[in-house]
């Protein structure tokens, strides 16, 4: 099972890249977002890989981060979402945007992806709202701090900032992620108002 590939970009196709690893060219399918973020032909690149083995083929899917690969796997647990649709969604939405869409139950945002109709978007949001790996791009220690915002040992400014974002309509997991990132950027001594302002910027990314 291949979990990661590191090599040189050999060439690009419409929905794939050929990665030259020590003289062997691997055809790796990627989302449009991933393809746009990869370097030019001849330059080095590393991809997190999801290997899918079928009776008639072995397919490799590449991602710029382990978190994006986690989303790819998670999306396919929803009935009606295969590899093609999962890549289409990840081509339109970054992991952070997808987490926010689920947290705020924004079906229209998910439905922007090609091949995703209103019914499928509603199913994705309903089934994954509590399963999303929302802390994947935040420092684990900070994520744990914000994820336990009800705990007595969590500083009050953090609790208040998360509550404020929730009151503005954001889902609690996404609010916690945004405040966690804000704490990491501003320091644990930041005031509530500063955490809220920074949190809103994080959510808008």
């Amino acid at each position: 099972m291949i979990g990661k590939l590191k090599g040189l970009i050999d060439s690009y196709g419409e929905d794939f890249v050929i990665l030259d690893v020590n003289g062997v060219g691997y055809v790796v399918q990627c989302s449009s977002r991933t393809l746009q973020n990869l370097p030019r032909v001849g330059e080095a690149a590393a991809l997190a890989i999801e290997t899918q083995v079928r009776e008639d083929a072995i397919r490799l899917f590449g991602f710029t981060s382990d978190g994006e690969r986690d989303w790819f796997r998670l999306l396919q647990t929803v009935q009606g979402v295969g590899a093609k649709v999962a890549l289409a969604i990840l081509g339109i939405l970054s992991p952070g945007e997808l987490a926010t869409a689920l947290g705020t139950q924004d079906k229209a945002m998910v439905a922007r992806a090609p091949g995703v109709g209103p019914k499928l978007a509603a199913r994705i949001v309903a089934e994954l709202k509590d399963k999303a790996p929302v802390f994947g791009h935040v420092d684990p220690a900070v994520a744990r701090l914000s994820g336990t915002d009800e705990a007595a040992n969590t500083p009050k400014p953090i609790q208040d900032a998360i509550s404020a974002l929730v009151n503005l309509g954001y889902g609690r997991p996404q609010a916690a992620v945004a405040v966690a990132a804000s704490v990491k950027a501003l320091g644990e001594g930041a005031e509530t108002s500063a955490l809220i302002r920074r949190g809103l910027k994080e959510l808008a990314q």
Side-chain angles (χ1 to χ4, degrees):
M1 190 69 68
I2 298 174
K4 181 179 180 180
L5 287 175
K6 187 176 182 180
L8 301 177
I9 300 292
D10 179 86
S11 59
Y12 284 101
E14 184 177 348
D15 60 355
F16 66 89
V17 61
I18 295 181
L19 195 64
D20 185 333
V21 182
N22 297 323
V24 179
Y26 291 88
V27 178
V28 184
Q29 292 185 274
C30 304
S31 71
S32 57
R33 180 184 293 272
T34 296
L35 289 174
Q36 290 168 7
N37 289 330
L38 289 176
R40 292 176 294 183
V41 171
E43 295 186 357
L47 289 169
I49 299 294
E50 174 73 1
T51 306
Q52 290 190 351
V53 180
R54 300 287 184 264
E55 290 185 2
D56 57 345
I58 297 175
R59 302 168 71 190
L60 303 179
F61 298 90
F63 308 92
T64 53
S65 68
D66 290 341
E68 188 180 13
R69 181 176 59 189
D70 290 342
W71 275 109
F72 178 72
R73 292 169 175 167
L74 187 62
L75 284 165
Q76 290 180 84
T77 64
V78 178
Q79 183 181 0
V81 178
K84 184 177 181 179
V85 171
L87 283 183
I89 293 172
L90 291 171
I92 294 293
L93 301 174
S94 69
E97 290 169 338
L98 188 49
T100 299
L102 296 181
T104 57
Q105 301 287 281
D106 192 342
K107 298 183 286 291
M109 183 178 287
V110 179
R112 287 167 46 198
V116 179
K119 289 185 178 180
L120 182 55
R123 188 184 307 144
I124 291 170
V125 168
E127 293 188 17
L128 300 185
K129 63 181 179 180
D130 297 321
K131 300 179 182 178
V134 293
F135 298 124
H137 61 292
V138 177
D139 180 81
V142 179
R144 283 196 299 273
L145 179 68
S146 68
T148 58
D149 55 288
E150 300 296 339
N153 62 349
T154 302
K156 195 170 188 303
I158 293 178
Q159 295 184 38
D160 291 345
I162 293 173
S163 295
L165 293 178
V166 170
N167 290 337
L168 289 173
Y170 292 100
R172 181 165 291 275
Q174 284 66 46
V177 166
V179 173
S182 302
V183 171
K184 188 175 182 180
L186 303 176
E188 293 187 13
E191 296 182 354
T192 301
S193 58
L195 291 174
I196 293 172
R197 287 195 299 272
R198 179 74 184 218
L200 288 169
K201 289 182 180 180
E202 293 288 338
L203 289 164
Q205 290 181 2

